[in-house]
Amino acid sequence: MQDFEDFVALRSQALLRTAYLLCGGDRGAAEDILQDVLMSMYGKWRRIKTSPEAYARTALANSAANRWRRRSRRPEAPLELGVVPAARGHEQQVVDADSVVRALAQLPTRMRAVLVLRFFDDLSEAETARVLGCSVGTVKSQTSRGLARMRELMGEQVLTWS
């Protein structure tokens, strides 16, 4: 199954980034759901090898949503965050990226998935709808509401992150 190994070697970093954002910045959870998705894909490879990227993104979005559903049943107490020192220069990019990830983590699961797939994975509205199994209209409304909520959460900060 060399073609599966090639797919994992070529796409795992991009899929990990998607999983990271879908998990609200929890790298451990992102690695776990990506590993679960890739294990599932391995067993089904012959059936899905015509469109493995789409399958993987759909599975990641579903796994992340299921993770949040499980966590919502047993709430966790948040850690108290200390005072963050002011950042200068290149460090500001790290702070900006972190604030985007933190703001994404506060969005509802579906809204977060739409924003991640649209703006970080650069999928079209139709592709995003197909991955999430919803209508294009739902993608549009979730995008609009999600961006508005991100602006509320982030204040005057710019909503760009590379």
Side-chain angles (χ1 to χ4, degrees):
M1 299 244 291
Q2 185 62 40
D3 48 346
F4 177 76
E5 291 177 22
D6 293 342
F7 170 76
V8 171
L10 292 172
R11 300 304 304 155
S12 62
Q13 286 302 312
L15 293 172
L16 180 59
R17 183 191 71 175
T18 299
Y20 176 77
L21 294 169
L22 289 170
C23 289
D26 185 340
R27 182 162 176 104
E31 290 171 347
D32 289 345
I33 68 168
L34 178 59
Q35 182 176 357
D36 291 344
V37 165
L38 291 175
M39 285 177 21
S40 171
M41 288 178 69
Y42 181 79
K44 302 173 185 174
W45 186 249
R46 284 189 175 80
R47 289 181 290 179
I48 62 172
K49 73 181 191 179
T50 57
S51 59
E53 185 88 16
Y55 182 92
R57 288 184 182 176
T58 300
L60 286 172
N62 290 336
S63 293
N66 290 340
R67 176 181 172 274
W68 286 107
R69 282 186 204 114
R70 283 191 302 272
R71 288 183 70 192
S72 69
R73 290 187 199 125
R74 50 170 201 183
E76 299 176 4
L79 294 174
E80 293 298 323
L81 298 175
V83 176
V84 179
R88 304 216 189 305
H90 178 69
E91 297 84 14
Q92 188 61 44
Q93 289 177 334
V94 174
V95 171
D96 291 344
D98 182 61
S99 66
V100 170
V101 171
R102 287 177 186 265
L104 279 170
Q106 294 180 48
L107 298 179
T109 306
R110 176 64 61 132
M111 192 177 289
R112 180 181 328 115
V114 167
L115 293 181
V116 168
L117 295 174
R118 287 281 290 126
F119 299 108
F120 293 95
D121 285 352
D122 203 26
L123 297 185
S124 69
E125 290 170 341
E127 291 169 326
T128 302
R130 194 169 30 260
V131 166
L132 296 176
C134 63
S135 70
V136 173
T138 299
V139 170
K140 289 179 180 183
S141 67
Q142 290 292 300
T143 300
S144 176
R145 290 180 187 134
L147 290 175
R149 182 70 179 124
M150 290 288 286
R151 285 184 194 99
E152 288 174 19
L153 292 169
M154 297 184 70
E156 296 296 318
Q157 294 179 18
V158 178
L159 289 178
T160 59
W161 180 41
S162 51

